[in-house]
Amino acid sequence: MVVVLLAGHPTYWHRAGQGAREALLVHCSLAHSGAWRGVERVLSEQLKMLALDLPGHGRSADWDGVGDYQDTSVHIAEALLNRETTGPVDLIGHSYGGTIAMRLAQRNPARVRSLTMFEPVFFSAARNHPAYAENTALMDGPFAQALQVGDRMEAARLFNALWGRDVAWQSLPLSQREDMARRIHLIPAGKPVTHHDIHGQLAPGALERLEIPVLLMEGAGSPALVGAVHDVLEARLSNVRRHVIEGAGHMAPITHPAQVGDSILAFLRETAPVGA
């Protein structure tokens, strides 16, 4: 596909799969829509998928810094769904993309058939857990200091050490490390959502009202904060399943696409027939 104007923002997106059901895939921070290629291959016979590059990622235009980053992303995703889909969709989101997918479902649940989130970064849900303090100490300390002095590569390295530990920093190609460093300013752009729940996605009743089937996925080797967040979400969501990918971490949709894709297929078949 080419870059098109969605909600006023030049956005790249692509389509994959030939299935009967429509789906939207939303990638994690510092990645792009191509990160879903492995998972798309697993789901290609059952789902007709859309995947977009979020603002500042991949081939989409950079974010202009105006307003809230998640707001911008949600409006773009809604414009893509309005343009390219006709019925209810299955939403699949990874990390920060999971927060966007859930917001789409909360804003218009009638348009959503199911919601899959791989480690959505709703950190404020686990504010009282020790892992929250550890994460905050790193991000408000060494990470923020590196950004303040303009050392974007060091900021990217620190972020990867925490959330990309299943993909060692030094093993990444230099071009990929440089790309992450160029986009690292988008991490603090997500903080109003991840740490402050600016849109009330976790407000009293907000999760409980989401009645569609939800799958929470996590890597067995992911940071403890992931499990703490999922414990809260699992307790409050009314129709939820939880699955752990053994031997994987936060980047499992990229490092373990077969296991992630198979788990999604099992969830879809259990909650509503894939051919429905």
Side-chain angles (χ1 to χ4, degrees), residues 219-233:
S222 292
L225 185 54
V226 168
V229 169
H230 283 194
D231 287 345
V232 174
L233 299 183

Side-chain angles (χ1 to χ4, degrees), residues 4 7 12 17 21 36 45 70 82 88 99 111 120 129 155 171 185 191 196 205 211 221 227 233 235 241 248 258 260:
V4 298
Y12 173 85
R21 285 167 60 156
W36 290 113
E45 293 185 7
Q70 195 204 63
N82 289 338
T99 76
R111 292 195 58 182
H129 193 278
S171 71
H185 62 284
K191 192 171 181 179
H196 305 301
E211 298 178 351
L233 299 183
R241 291 149 183 83
V260 171

Side-chain angles (χ1 to χ4, degrees), residues 5-236:
L5 202 63
L6 295 173
H9 191 88
T11 301
Y12 173 85
W13 64 276
H14 72 256
R15 189 185 292 279
Q18 302 297 322
R21 285 167 60 156
E22 297 175 309
L24 174 70
L25 283 61
V26 190
H27 64 78
C28 66
S29 296
L30 306 188
H32 53 78
S33 57
W36 290 113
R37 292 298 190 187
V39 172
E40 287 171 348
R41 284 192 287 271
V42 180
L43 303 178
S44 61
E45 293 185 7
Q46 286 76 26
L47 296 179
K48 183 185 300 180
M49 294 163 280
L50 302 172
L52 76 162
D53 289 350
L54 294 173
H57 295 80
R59 299 183 222 181
S60 291
D62 201 359
W63 179 50
D64 60 11
V66 176
D68 173 66
Y69 183 79
Q70 195 204 63
D71 264 344
T72 300
S73 301
V74 166
H75 294 154
I76 291 169
E78 287 176 336
L80 179 60
L81 290 173
N82 289 338
R83 169 178 163 149
E84 298 293 333
T85 65
T86 57
V89 299
D90 297 295
L91 295 175
I92 302 170
H94 176 203
S95 193
Y96 193 81
T99 76
I100 294 169
M102 190 167 86
R103 183 122 180 264
L104 290 169
Q106 290 173 315
R107 282 168 61 90
N108 199 343
R111 292 195 58 182
V112 180
R113 194 192 304 257
S114 72
L115 171 63
T116 294
M117 296 183 288
F118 194 97
E119 302 190 5
V121 287
F122 291 112
F123 298 145
S124 62
R127 190 177 296 276
N128 296 324
H129 193 278
Y132 179 88
E134 294 171 8
N135 176 269
T136 301
L138 173 67
M139 298 304 291
D140 288 353
F143 175 83
Q145 291 162 14
L147 276 184
Q148 187 174 13
V149 300
D151 192 346
R152 298 172 71 88
M153 189 66 80
E154 174 63 5
R157 185 193 69 79
L158 289 167
F159 182 77
N160 185 81
L162 180 63
W163 293 105
R165 59 180 66 176
D166 42 340
V167 183
W169 178 251
Q170 291 302 326
S171 71
L172 295 173
L174 177 60
S175 60
Q176 189 171 345
R177 282 179 271 160
E178 290 175 338
D179 185 70
M180 292 174 66
R182 281 193 297 270
R183 306 178 195 282
I184 196 65
H185 62 284
L186 297 172
I187 298 302
K191 192 171 181 179
V193 168
T194 60
H195 288 73
H196 305 301
D197 191 29
I198 189 175
H199 302 299
Q201 292 181 264
L202 308 176
L207 294 176
E208 291 78 2
R209 286 192 294 270
L210 197 60
E211 298 178 351
I212 60 171
V214 177
L215 173 63
L216 289 174
M217 303 180 71
E218 62 201 90
S222 292
L225 185 54
V226 168
V229 169
H230 283 194
D231 287 345
V232 174
L233 299 183
E234 183 180 24
R236 293 182 55 192

